[in-house]
Amino acid sequence: MAWRIARPALTLTLPLMAGAAMLGVIGCSGLGGESNAQTAQRPVQSVPPLQPVVPAEPPKPETPADYAAHDRTYPFYMPMQGLRRPAIRLFIKCDASRAAGREVYQGPDAASLYGRAEGGYEFVYEALDGQGRPCVYPFAPWQPDIVGNLDGTQYIFRSSLSGVQVTFRTDDPWATLKMRALEMGRSRIHFEMRDIALDFPGAIQPMGALHLETYGGTAPGLFTAVVRRSRIFGGKNAIFVPGGETMLYVEDSAVTGNVGTNVDQEHGTYINGTLVSHFRNVSWQGQQGWRDVASGHQLKDKAYLRIYENVAVSNAPGRGPPSAMPLIDASSFGFTWSNNLQIRRVPPQQAPRDALVDLRSEILYGNPQHYPWPVIATSDWRMPAAPLGSLDRVYLSVFFDTSVQSFRQEPHVFALRSWGRGFEPGTATILGEGFTTRAEQRAVSLSFGTRGTFDKVYSGEGWTYANPRLPDTMLWVADRDAFIRHALGLIGR
């Protein structure tokens, strides 16, 4: 099944576009228009649904200088001040490394580090071989252990030519590119990977082909990770990010599958309880399936704040049959803002699970301090009589212009699962989902302009609305930057 998405570059530092006039035109399905009654075959509306507000697109980079200039821009919510230039910079030669089957350096080499790096590092890989072709390195990148003072340090892996992708290809079962910092504490740490393809078809041992983890972080400590123009294949999860004080931003990239052996518990990407996951112009497919198991998800994302822009997710198979699970497994806790999510489902060998995007509530993955309100039903909350006038007081997901292309008429696209009443002692598992009243739920999901092969936008659970008319005071939910500021402001970030 061939499919693609456009991948324009974006500078994320443009000023916030404000004002109700900038927020698009309001839909006309009414304040009480719940999605349970909405179907794919809707009558033509005289007024289009509410439209998202995003910064204008800059010109697409065309030269290495254009790409390098773009790479100096970051999401507005990432505090990039206070970072130091990496203390260690190593340049890896292409043809000599290919011949040796390991890194061969121009200038200082890795041996001088004795396997340990302090003060940050930058690995620059020669982009072209002697024939002028993008270099393919027949090994996984070597990395030293990180030691010493972590505050303000940067760890960068990049091609020597911005916009020219180099590839690391090996069958090594331990192949990975990892960022692993112990005892992070209150440090500010930054990681980048640019113009790199990881092709690790045999990497069944590491958790992720791209493996990003820090330990012991506490606010205001922060780990930011930025991935640009990359392709990632291999590992038990092609991208794995455990919980922590982490903000992840990925753009113009593709995740093409995992190779783990526990196919019901491993996923194309696994984001645990982090602060932010932000994907722009990113595609997923190839999550490893199994003939007699429903298998994992293309994207399992339990971040507190999730931003999806021009994201395409398909269960088109990699190794084994297609997964029958929901393509995106997210949390009903926290916040999700999505624009132009493209979902493609091909027939699996198991009975497909009905939801395509499953907003679940049975486990709390993140640090409880990341959440401004309880994530279980309590006597302190009852949904107000006009929920759409209280969107600033609830956990919120908003989906603009989602398209669905499926082998069948899907029963629904989104499911917002019911909350429970408490935790299993000593665990993060929530008990009693489905036994709470609707008024006790503190989560709302909105969709605007959802289209494709399905019967209903939402399942019958929770506070869900398709193409609702919002009060003027709630139009901020359409503005991506205002939504981000609201979500992160609740936890002081």
Side-chain angles (χ1 to χ4, degrees), residues 4-288:
R4 66 179 63 185
I5 57 174
R7 300 185 176 212
L10 173 70
T11 299
L12 293 176
T13 55
L14 297 176
L16 176 67
M17 300 169 66
M22 304 298 292
L23 288 169
V25 185
I26 304 172
C28 67
S29 62
L31 285 173
E34 293 186 33
S35 65
N36 300 347
Q38 311 300 327
T39 67
Q41 288 72 37
R42 304 174 59 84
V44 176
Q45 298 183 357
S46 59
V47 180
L50 182 67
Q51 298 298 306
V53 175
V54 294
E57 294 281 359
K60 182 178 179 179
E62 295 181 354
T63 67
D66 292 341
Y67 282 107
H70 172 75
D71 293 346
R72 292 190 291 271
T73 66
Y74 295 92
F76 73 89
Y77 54 82
M78 279 190 179
M80 302 303 292
Q81 65 275 12
L83 295 172
R84 320 181 239 140
R85 183 188 299 273
I88 299 163
R89 185 177 186 273
L90 301 176
F91 186 93
I92 294 90
K93 299 165 66 175
C94 176
D95 288 342
S97 297
R98 287 170 52 84
R102 56 175 173 78
E103 286 90 345
V104 175
Y105 301 88
Q106 177 178 301
D109 64 14
S112 61
L113 302 178
Y114 298 98
R116 296 158 61 88
E118 184 170 0
Y121 53 68
E122 180 178 19
F123 287 83
V124 183
Y125 300 92
E126 188 174 16
L128 303 176
D129 64 18
Q131 304 300 313
R133 300 168 299 192
C135 191
V136 178
Y137 293 89
F139 45 79
W142 175 85
Q143 301 155 262
D145 291 332
I146 295 170
V147 298
N149 179 18
L150 300 177
D151 195 34
T153 56
Q154 299 189 67
Y155 305 87
I156 300 172
F157 295 81
R158 66 175 179 89
S159 166
S160 64
L161 292 176
S162 296
V164 179
Q165 192 176 91
V166 302
T167 298
F168 294 89
R169 180 172 296 146
T170 175
D171 287 325
D172 185 345
W174 294 95
T176 184
L177 192 159
K178 68 180 183 296
M179 166 70 206
R180 190 167 183 263
L182 303 178
E183 301 302 327
M184 172 183 162
R186 297 164 64 89
S187 298
R188 173 71 179 93
I189 308 173
H190 182 66
F191 167 91
E192 288 201 30
M193 185 174 86
R194 305 198 299 264
D195 299 300
I196 285 179
L198 304 178
D199 189 6
F200 301 152
I204 62 172
Q205 297 299 332
M207 186 63 72
L210 176 62
H211 191 108
L212 303 174
E213 62 180 314
T214 55
Y215 286 98
T218 57
L222 181 65
F223 171 48
T224 53
V226 173
V227 178
R228 307 184 198 259
R229 300 180 302 274
S230 295
R231 182 172 56 82
I232 303 167
F233 173 75
K236 295 180 179 180
N237 308 272
I239 300 176
F240 178 68
V241 187
E245 302 297 312
T246 299
M247 294 181 176
L248 171 69
Y249 176 72
V250 182
E251 69 174 6
D252 301 328
S253 297
V255 180
T256 59
N258 62 325
V259 297
T261 55
N262 187 356
V263 295
D264 199 35
Q265 298 297 322
E266 295 161 1
H267 315 278
T269 294
Y270 193 159
I271 311 297
N272 211 314
T274 62
L275 291 171
V276 178
S277 62
H278 188 167
F279 299 103
R280 180 166 180 81
N281 303 330
V282 180
S283 64
W284 277 265
Q285 67 178 45
Q287 193 278 329
Q288 180 167 251

